[in-house]
Every structure is written in structure tokens, then in C-alpha cells.
Amino acid sequence: MRTRILTSDDIGQAAAILREGGLVGIPTETVYGLGANGLDAAAVSRIFEAKGRPQDNPLILHIPSAEWLERYCRDIPDAAYALAEAFWPGPLTMILPRRESVPDVVTAGLETVGMRCPAHELCRAIIEAAGVAVAAPSGNRSGRPSPTTAGHMLEDMDGRIDAIVDGGACSVGVESTIIDLTCCPPRLLRPGGVTLEQLREVLGEVDVDPAVTRLMGEGEKPRAPGMKYRHYAPKAPVTVVAGDGEKSAEYIAAHMGEEDGIICFAEFRPLFAAQAERGHLMDLGPSADKEEQARHIFDALRAFDHTDVPAIWAQCPDTGGIGLAIANRLNKAAGFHIIEV
Ligand code: TXA
Ligand code: MG
């Protein structure tokens, strides 16, 4: 199969591929998704094949507006509409009780389904034109960093899917926030572009699932099945150094090997001039600009796979705001190998 690259002129073509049971890479504001008709069980199965994704890891459904929630969900609490009003279209996925119309292969047999209305206009236009909810995980091969450009998605999926719609670089850069509204209080399952602080403003009390901040033990089952996997992992082992920016940069400079790769904040580049010369330095952006860091985190992790670095060291922001999502992705890439300075 040849994977075609489509553009914003090809909305009709992308929608037709989806309706016919094909697989299309779709741009969203968070990361690129690997989309299929969410009501076509055979098409959805092909997502799992193309990604090499374990069958027990459910997919989320993408819809163009909150008005579509009733089609796929039942017993929808007021909190869902309050969140939709505040954050949709945008980087928030809500876990809700599902209707029978949603195939088992989407939810991995769970009685709940994740629902998301993306902010990317091209993405919503494709879903509208297809006329069905689009099931889409992130568009990477399983275990790899999520793609934030069409080119990165092509690296993983060339020849495995029908097309990728190029909608430019993703503006958020980390996957959507996932909130489970089927438990009380609501529970944050994955931090993302909508922050914990923002959720608490709308919902009041919100619990944080333990899988967000630590490694799950052997017998433990996170509520979001995907959170149990070692993720986003580059080939080389990653060590996260958390704490004050100056201290963490100095710690890394004192402990790194000559050939190691470095992920740092912009102002600490001068400490790693030798690494920069070898192309082993990825800069996330200024330490004060977490939005910028979120946009670069997956590109940084992915970039080292084109090198032969034996190990990677990463600076990490504090967990306020979108920092919680950045820290979570870095810590997962590191298998929660974290040094606090
Ligand atoms: O930003 C995003 O959410 C991107 C873009 C493409 O929309 N999608 C994405 O999908 O990140 P994926 O499949 O890579 O991650 C979805 C996560 C997985 O960890 C999965 O286990 C969890 O959501 N999930 C899906 N349905 C669930 C459910 N019913 N209950 C609990 N967790 C669920
Ligand atoms: Mg994913």
C-alpha cells in the first residue's frame, strides 16, 4: 500500500477513505491521530494492526461537537456539558458510559468510551464530512513517541495506512487530558493541554490517578489501560533530572558521558556546547515557557532515534499547569527513572 499525503483541499477524499473502512492520519491540535470509522469494527481492528497496539487498550472517539455525545453515550452527567462548554473544541477527552452502538473493539470491551472534540478545524471538517465518529489513537507505532507533524507520522506509518492529511505542526504537542466522569469525584487519568487547575475550576474536586505520577506495580491496573505501558520511549535509556533549572542543568553537566544526548531548556544550551556540535542536544524552549516545551517534547525524544547516543538526560519543568503533562511524558519515557536535585 502506498500512503498518500493529502492536504486541506482533500477533505472529501479523506472522508471517503474513512467511510470505506480505510485508515487516515488526521491532524489534531494535540498530536496526529490514526483514524478509522469508529462504528466499523473491521476498520477499527486495522488500527490495532497498523500500530502494533495491544487489543486491551481502548480507543477514543472524535466528534465535531458536543451535540454528537448522545449518539454514542448514555447517562451523560451535567459535568460533561459544563466541561464541553468550557473546553471544547479542545484537548480534553471525557470517559462516559457508552451506548451499544459503539463496537467492543473500540472500547476493548469496557462499558465506557472516551469522547473528544478536537480544536483543529481541518480535523473537525473531515469528521463532519465522514458523518461518523472517528476512532483515533495517536498516530505512532506502539511504544514510540506520538507524532506532532505529518512527516513524523509518515516515519512510523508509511505503507501501513491509506493516507495522512497534512495539517501542519500540532499547536499543543502532547495528547489530550483524559478525565473519567464515571467515578466520583471525577478522576484525571492522563494530564494534557487542559490543566488540572482548569478542570478543578469547573468541577471542584478532581482526583489524580496514581498512574499519572508513578510507575504501576505488577498487579496494579490503571483506569486508562494505556497508562501501564512504557511509552514514548526512544531507543536509548532516559534519565529525568527534576528540580530547579540551574541545579538540574549543572547536575546533568557533571554526570553526563561525552556521547550522551541532552534535552534541556534554552538558556542552558551553553553548558552543552560539545553535545550541540555532535547534534546530540535538543532544546525544549525557555524554562519559563511550558507551552513551548510541550510542543517540542515528542520531537526531542524522537530526534534521538536518528542518532547513536548511549543515554539521554532530560531537564523537566515543575508540575504546575501543562508542566504536569510534560513531566508525565518525560517520566514515562524514562520508565520513571527520575533524579530530584
Ligand atoms: O490527544 C489525543 O487524545 C490523541 C489525539 C489523536 O486525539 N489521541 C490519543 O489516543 O492520545 P491514544 O489511544 O494514544 O490514547 C488514549 C488513551 C489510552 O491510554 C487509553 O488506554 C485511554 O485513552 N482510554 C481510551 N478509552 C478509555 C476508557 N473507556 N477508559 C479509560 N481509558 C481509556
Ligand atoms: Mg498514544
Side-chain angles (χ1 to χ4, degrees), residues 3-262:
T3 300
R4 275 173 291 163
I5 299 295
L6 305 179
T7 70
S8 55
D9 295 332
D10 306 313
I11 292 171
Q13 210 179 325
I17 299 172
L18 289 169
R19 274 198 307 273
E20 286 156 17
L23 299 182
V24 181
I26 51 171
T28 86
E29 76 281 18
T30 58
V31 301
Y32 274 73
L34 174 48
N37 177 348
L39 300 186
D40 178 342
V44 172
S45 302
R46 286 195 274 278
I47 292 180
F48 288 86
E49 273 167 42
K51 267 186 78 97
R53 178 170 173 116
Q55 295 283 345
D56 68 347
N57 194 0
L59 307 178
I60 59 187
L61 288 182
H62 296 69
I63 54 176
S65 85
E67 280 160 37
W68 285 34
L69 275 178
E70 278 288 342
R71 298 187 191 182
Y72 308 110
C73 305
R74 58 181 170 75
D75 306 328
I76 302 170
D78 291 343
Y81 291 106
L83 288 174
E85 180 67 32
F87 305 119
W88 276 6
L92 178 69
T93 297
M94 302 185 216
I95 306 296
L96 292 164
R98 68 148 165 162
R99 285 194 192 279
E100 296 289 302
S101 57
V102 180
D104 276 340
V105 58
V106 171
T107 67
L110 295 177
E111 282 310 305
T112 57
V113 61
M115 301 298 301
R116 163 156 139 76
C117 174
H120 201 297
E121 280 182 33
L122 179 52
C123 180
R124 288 204 312 284
I126 294 166
I127 303 167
E128 290 263 19
V132 288
V134 171
S138 50
N140 49 287
R141 296 285 292 276
S142 225
R144 297 257 298 145
S146 298
T148 55
T149 65
H152 287 172
M153 183 157 178
L154 192 66
E155 264 177 27
D156 279 19
M157 291 296 166
D158 196 11
R160 308 177 75 86
I161 62 175
D162 297 286
I164 299 174
V165 182
D166 190 344
C170 300
S171 60
V172 176
V174 290
E175 304 90 339
S176 61
T177 302
I178 303 180
I179 182 94
D180 189 345
L181 295 178
T182 66
C183 49
C184 197
R187 181 179 282 233
L188 177 75
L189 304 188
R190 181 177 72 183
V194 172
T195 66
L196 181 58
E197 294 87 339
Q198 287 176 305
L199 290 173
R200 285 183 171 149
E201 266 174 41
V202 175
L203 297 174
E205 200 183 344
V206 174
D207 280 348
V208 177
D209 200 74
V212 171
T213 49
R214 66 172 173 81
L215 195 62
M216 291 285 92
E218 273 293 311
E220 282 182 299
K221 250 182 147 179
R223 283 180 80 94
M227 293 292 274
K228 71 172 172 274
Y229 297 105
R230 181 168 181 245
H231 242 114
Y232 319 126
K235 288 171 200 145
V238 180
T239 302
V240 170
V241 185
D244 171 75
E246 224 154 282
K247 280 195 195 144
S248 61
E250 278 165 15
Y251 183 95
I252 293 172
H255 292 83
M256 66 190 176
E258 221 173 288
E259 301 289 327
D260 291 354
I262 308 293

Side-chain angles (χ1 to χ4, degrees), residues 256-307:
M256 66 190 176
E258 221 173 288
E259 301 289 327
D260 291 354
I262 308 293
I263 297 175
C264 75
F265 300 131
E267 57 267 45
F268 302 111
R269 288 190 72 108
L271 279 180
F272 308 109
Q275 274 73 16
E277 215 155 280
R278 291 193 178 89
H280 292 178
L281 178 69
M282 296 301 295
D283 154 5
L284 293 179
S287 60
D289 189 348
K290 291 177 185 167
E291 270 71 30
E292 183 70 4
Q293 294 162 28
R295 279 190 284 275
H296 293 299
I297 185 68
F298 285 134
D299 303 0
L301 291 169
R302 190 170 275 268
F304 284 114
D305 281 347
H306 300 290
T307 70

